[in-house]
Amino acid sequence: MKGPHNIWRLIRTGATFERTGAMSAVLEALEAPKPVRVAARILGWPFKWLGLRGDERVPPVPRALTALGPAYIKFGQILSTRPDVVGDQMALQLQVLQDKLPPFSTAEARRVVEHEMEMPLEALFSEFSEPVAAASIAQVHKARLIESGRSVAVKILRPGIERAFRTDIDAFYLIAWFVETLSPASRRLRPRDVVAHFEGVVMQELDLRIEASAAGEFAANTRDDAGFVVPPVEWFMSSRRMMTLAWAEGIPLSDLSAIDAMGHDRKALAARVLEMFLRHALRDGFFHADMHHGNLKVAGNGDVVALDFGIMGRIDEYTRRVYAEILMGFIRKDYRRVAEVHFEAGYVPADRDVGEFAQALRSVGEPIFGMDASRISMGRLLAYLFEVTERFGMETRTELILLQRTMVVVEGVARSLDSEINIWTVSRPVVEEYIKENIGPKALVRDLFTTARVLARFGPRLPQLAEAALLAQANPPRRPERSPWRERLGYAGVGAAVAAAAAALLVQF
């Protein structure tokens, strides 16, 4: 990990940050202690002349990351989803990072296709365009399938990108090791864990089979969502270094004049983008975590088309229920219930006072609800909420941070389409629908049936399990002063397990 090439990469990074003016901004944002500041200056200032200049029209930190190349750009994009690590202001700066890079040659793209598909390109496509989009990891070509005549988008990894990312990720681990060594206090931010998270995300993006799978799952989940489209995957034309989707015609959601010229209702589009994001997060627990303007189009018939499924978010069912109850509590201004949900979920330590926590939550909600519709923000609410819960001892939950960051981006898209959109008015029906289906008597019956079904799968083993439990009670390990009430409780537990299993079997038959 600490080879000469990584030391050189570390020096080049420090020099570039120093030359672009990003070093001071980063050290301030992270509130770096003196040893880290001194080390950063030693790595940067003497070698400043070796640093890359970057685009002077871009703010210092995005400028430095863009100059250093694809891995640094992608790292900055992922850090923009972690305000808990880099702070709100720095996360906001990093959100402007664009990974548009010069394309590689079409001849190289053809070689990748032929290698992956093991046949000449002309046997697959009747048309194959020059690159229509190029990013840090891959580029896209428009093509036409010979077999069906359908237009498709072919996404192809950059040549050598895996090796380049591997080298830079090793350098990131070295930087994290230096920071943790020089500043023990920084360990609370877990720099090496942050790099490991980045590595996991990027390694998935470097295997286009995983993105194709995400697109397929997302398409299946949203098949019946009126007005929302995910292009289907061409599975037999996809592999590790190549992914093929149906071509999606449409206008980027950032092109407001074209949207108006086509006669689309911008208010309806804004509401639909927000509704769909919430519905996917709550109903499916699987949401598009990169829903910026560039990844959304509006088709000629008014459908919203989603693209690029490299970054997806996932939330388990229990967390979804907690999240929905928290949102609904704020919508109803029932701060006591919001506080209770946090305690019931174990998010806040049990030794804290529920009343004090509810009071703190009121300080979060009331100022936001006092705003006019154009300034109400669910993203801001979640950011304030995390600040309060942190003061009460709640640990950072990465999946909720990603949800909050995506919510901010989605709100930005919705407001660009309709500056007067009322976030709460649009959100309430979606949240209420989810709560109606997933919290209450109907959900309880469904949960009990699911539990019974799981128990029933152990039906053939239940006699042995019951016997083993009874034998363990009859011949326990020797302990001082065995308590009679514990023995009775043990038998009661066995009886309850047998009764539950019998009920499960009856449900099945």
Side-chain angles (χ1 to χ4, degrees):
M1 185 181 74
K2 302 180 182 111
H5 62 285
N6 285 330
I7 298 293
W8 165 247
R9 194 62 168 147
L10 185 62
I11 292 172
R12 187 70 178 274
T13 299
T16 300
F17 269 66
E18 193 70 49
R19 186 169 187 174
T20 57
M23 186 69 80
S24 298
V26 169
L27 294 174
E28 287 300 320
L30 297 177
E31 300 178 355
K34 189 173 181 180
V36 173
R37 291 174 184 266
V38 171
R41 293 292 171 167
I42 291 172
L43 285 170
W45 185 78
F47 305 99
K48 186 175 178 179
W49 61 278
L50 290 171
L52 302 168
R53 188 182 301 276
D55 186 346
E56 296 181 1
R57 297 168 296 179
V58 178
V61 178
R63 175 183 167 190
L65 295 174
T66 303
L68 286 164
Y72 286 79
I73 294 169
K74 186 61 64 176
F75 193 44
Q77 290 173 335
I78 290 173
L79 283 179
S80 74
T81 71
R82 298 296 303 274
D84 57 314
V85 174
V86 298
D88 293 335
Q89 290 302 316
M90 182 58 66
L92 193 62
Q93 278 193 46
L94 294 174
Q95 284 180 22
V96 306
L97 274 173
Q98 297 294 318
D99 58 354
K100 295 179 180 176
L101 294 175
F104 55 91
S105 71
T106 301
E108 183 62 45
R110 291 173 64 96
R111 280 194 290 272
V112 172
V113 171
E114 292 177 348
H115 178 269
E116 294 295 301
M117 295 292 102
E118 300 181 342
M119 63 177 65
L121 182 139
E122 288 76 13
L124 302 166
F125 304 113
S126 59
E127 300 173 14
F128 191 82
S129 76
E130 294 295 314
V132 296
S136 59
I137 287 179
Q139 69 185 29
V140 176
H141 298 256
K142 185 177 182 180
R144 186 177 298 279
L145 296 174
I146 285 181
E147 189 173 309
S148 64
R150 289 195 304 272
S151 293
V152 293
V154 184
K155 185 173 184 177
I156 301 171
L157 287 185
R158 285 183 174 274
I161 192 68
E162 298 96 332
R163 184 172 61 255
F165 266 76
R166 183 72 269 164
T167 299
D168 284 335
I169 288 170
D170 286 346
F172 295 158
Y173 275 114
L174 180 57
I175 293 170
W177 177 81
F178 268 114
V179 170
E180 289 188 4
T181 301
L182 293 171
S183 172
S186 71
R187 291 171 192 164
R188 67 182 177 83
L189 297 175
R190 297 176 291 184
R192 278 185 278 193
D193 286 351
V194 172
V195 176
H197 171 66
F198 166 73
E199 181 180 16
V201 171
V202 166
M203 288 303 108
Q204 288 195 67
E205 288 198 59
L206 291 175
D207 186 343
L208 293 180
R209 292 171 299 189
I210 296 176
E211 183 175 345
S213 177
E217 181 179 353
F218 197 44
N221 289 346
T222 61
R223 184 180 295 113
D224 297 326
D225 291 345
F228 187 84
V229 176
V230 175
V233 178
E234 297 285 347
W235 289 105
F236 296 106
M237 300 287 289
S238 300
S239 65
R240 186 176 64 84
R241 308 199 76 247
M242 166 185 167
M243 179 179 72
T244 307
L245 302 175
W247 181 263
E249 292 287 354
I251 303 166
L253 283 193
S254 57
D255 193 343
L256 300 184
S257 58
I259 290 173
D260 290 338
M262 289 290 291
H264 296 303
D265 184 342
R266 281 205 270 141
K267 290 183 182 294
L269 287 173
R272 190 181 313 145
V273 168
L274 182 58
E275 287 169 353
M276 288 302 167
F277 165 70
L278 283 173
R279 186 164 286 122
H280 302 157
L282 291 176
R283 181 193 66 196
D284 307 325
F286 189 60
F287 60 94
H288 196 307
D290 200 18
M291 282 183 72
H292 58 73
H293 290 93
N295 287 338
L296 296 170
K297 289 182 176 182
V298 55
N301 64 356
D303 288 348
V304 172
V305 182
L307 304 169
D308 195 345
F309 311 99
I311 304 177
M312 304 294 291
R314 199 179 289 277
I315 312 176
D316 64 75
E317 187 168 355
Y318 179 73
T319 303
R320 279 181 266 156
R321 293 184 185 186
V322 170
Y323 176 61
E325 282 215 79
I326 289 171
L327 286 180
M328 203 66 224
F330 273 109
I331 289 172
R332 293 173 176 167
K333 298 189 179 183
D334 187 349
Y335 302 111
R336 177 77 184 192
R337 181 57 191 149
V338 176
E340 289 171 351
V341 170
H342 277 81
F343 278 83
E344 290 167 6
Y347 289 175
V348 176
D351 60 352
R352 302 304 176 97
D353 185 86
V354 177
E356 288 183 9
F357 187 48
Q359 181 180 348
L361 293 173
R362 184 178 295 275
S363 74
V364 172
E366 290 300 321
I368 289 177
F369 282 106
M371 297 176 180
D372 61 80
S374 64
R375 295 179 60 208
I376 291 176
S377 167
M378 191 178 296
R380 188 181 294 117
L381 168 66
L382 291 173
Y384 292 165
L385 177 61
F386 293 153
E387 288 179 21
V388 169
T389 52
E390 186 179 10
R391 291 204 304 270
F392 277 79
M394 176 176 165
E395 293 185 4
T396 299
R397 297 181 62 85
T398 304
E399 73 275 17
L400 292 182
I401 292 289
L402 181 60
L403 184 73
Q404 183 253 337
R405 181 262 184 185
T406 309
M407 188 75 239
V408 170
V409 174
V410 171
E411 282 188 5
V413 172
R415 288 199 192 285
S416 71
L417 293 165
D418 176 14
S419 61
E420 299 300 317
I421 188 172
N422 187 319
I423 300 298
W424 296 115
T425 300
V426 175
S427 303
R428 183 167 188 153
V430 180
V431 179
E432 286 182 336
E433 177 187 352
Y434 175 81
I435 287 177
K436 179 182 176 183
E437 292 295 322
N438 295 278
I439 300 173
K442 186 186 292 188
L444 177 61
V445 171
R446 190 168 63 247
D447 290 346
L448 287 173
F449 180 76
T450 301
T451 303
R453 190 171 54 195
V454 170
L455 282 171
R457 288 204 294 267
F458 289 88
R461 295 184 58 199
L462 286 174
Q464 297 97 314
L465 292 172
E467 183 179 8
L470 289 167
L471 287 172
Q473 289 295 321
N475 302 290
R478 294 189 63 182
R479 296 187 188 129
E481 298 184 11
R482 187 175 173 202
S483 171
W485 68 264
R486 285 190 181 177
E487 184 173 333
R488 288 194 295 270
L489 186 61
Y491 283 117
V494 173
V498 172
L505 290 171
L506 285 173
V507 167
Q508 293 297 304
F509 299 105

